[in-house]
């Protein structure tokens, strides 16, 4: 239980930027020149120091690790997913009698659907289903593997938004660079892959 609270606390901290960065992100502008990608820019006289850039990059990387489960040992992560899926299947057994092979195949489908999902997100999605806190679906039965994945993705959505904000800050250029119509080399974009 203490570990779960620790994870939840860390997740909550990752969902918001420190106030100065949040204000800076909201003040970013965009410039479009024909035939060129949109340039995100800082207000006049503003930008990021190298130290601030490193801090934002580390937050982006931490979001990636926490939302994919990469912060955990891969075996432990897989074991946690399987444990959650087995509990779901035992709580919502398939209709009629099933063979061991059918149960194994069913578990395999579920595991494939959430194999890249962090265990905390899977746990939160299953809890939402059990409580009936879902928009669609007959909660009298287990969700399909695809429906379970969509629920997990809903749990991850706030982190995708946060990653988008961090990427905007990290790829922004000065107003002078944005207003220069000459083509510029595409900056190295920090990217966060939460879901395919």
């Amino acid at each position: 239980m203490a570990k779960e609270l620790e994870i939840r606390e860390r997740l909550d901290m990752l969902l918001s930027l420190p106030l100065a960065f949040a204000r800076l992100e909201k003040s970013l502008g965009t410039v479009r020149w024909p035939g060129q990608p949109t340039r995100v820019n800082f207000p006049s006289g503003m930008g990021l120091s190298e130290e601030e850039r490193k801090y934002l990059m580390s937050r982006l990387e931490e979001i990636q690790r926490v939302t994919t489960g990469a912060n955990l040992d891969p075996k432990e992560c897989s074991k946690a997913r399987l444990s959650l899926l087995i509990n779901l299947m035992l709580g919502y057994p398939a209709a009629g009698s099933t063979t061991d092979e059918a149960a194994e195949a069913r578990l395999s489908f579920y595991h494939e659907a959430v194999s890249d999902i962090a265990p905390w997100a899977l746990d939160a999605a299953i809890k939402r289903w059990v409580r009936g806190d879902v928009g669609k679906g007959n909660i009298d039965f287990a969700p399909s593997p695809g429906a379970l994945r969509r629920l997990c993705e809903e749990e991850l959505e706030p982190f995708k938004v946060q990653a988008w904000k961090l990427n905007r800050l990290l790829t922004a250029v000065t107003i002078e660079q944005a207003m220069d119509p000459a083509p510029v080399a595409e900056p190295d974009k920090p990217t966060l892959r939460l879901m395919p």
Side-chain angles (χ1 to χ4, degrees):
M1 182 65 160
K3 182 78 170 169
E4 187 176 327
L5 291 175
E6 184 181 313
I7 291 170
R8 188 73 250 168
E9 181 182 341
R10 188 67 197 144
L11 291 172
D12 291 343
M13 286 177 50
L14 289 174
L15 282 177
S16 61
L17 284 170
L19 188 57
F21 290 118
R23 285 183 179 156
L24 184 58
E25 190 276 325
K26 286 183 180 185
S27 70
L28 295 175
T30 57
V31 175
R32 290 189 175 100
W33 291 102
Q36 297 183 43
T38 300
R39 298 177 190 178
V40 177
N41 64 278
F42 293 108
S44 183
M46 299 186 92
L48 294 174
S49 69
E50 196 54 42
E51 187 176 301
E52 290 169 327
R53 217 170 257 295
K54 286 179 183 175
Y55 170 76
L56 294 175
M57 186 59 88
S58 73
R59 279 185 73 102
L60 187 62
E61 290 168 355
E62 186 171 8
I63 288 173
Q64 166 122 22
R65 286 190 306 273
V66 168
T67 55
T68 60
N71 61 328
L72 305 171
D73 174 67
K75 288 181 183 175
E76 288 300 314
C77 198
S78 182
K79 187 176 168 182
R81 282 188 203 104
L82 282 173
S83 175
L84 290 164
L85 292 173
I86 288 170
N87 283 342
L88 174 69
M89 291 175 63
L90 290 173
Y92 288 98
S97 61
T98 58
T99 64
D100 288 344
E101 291 82 16
E104 221 173 285
R106 186 171 174 233
L107 179 61
S108 172
F109 287 150
Y110 277 96
H111 192 259
E112 180 60 32
V114 297
S115 63
D116 59 343
I117 301 287
W120 68 264
L122 176 58
D123 184 46
I126 291 171
K127 285 178 179 173
R128 280 183 53 213
W129 185 269
V130 170
R131 287 191 310 262
D133 187 18
V134 293
K136 293 181 183 177
N138 182 347
I139 58 170
D140 295 333
F141 302 97
S144 69
L148 182 59
R149 181 172 183 86
R150 285 188 295 278
L151 286 172
C152 291
E153 289 171 350
E154 288 174 17
E155 294 297 321
L156 295 171
E157 187 59 34
F159 296 95
K160 289 181 183 181
V161 170
Q162 188 68 8
W164 178 80
K165 290 177 181 181
L166 288 166
N167 276 314
R168 279 177 44 91
L169 282 167
L170 288 165
T171 58
V173 296
T174 65
I175 188 74
E176 294 78 18
Q177 290 172 308
M179 296 307 290
D180 183 354
V184 293
E186 191 76 24
D188 290 337
K189 289 188 177 182
T191 55
L192 175 66
R193 185 188 156 276
L194 292 177
M195 295 284 147

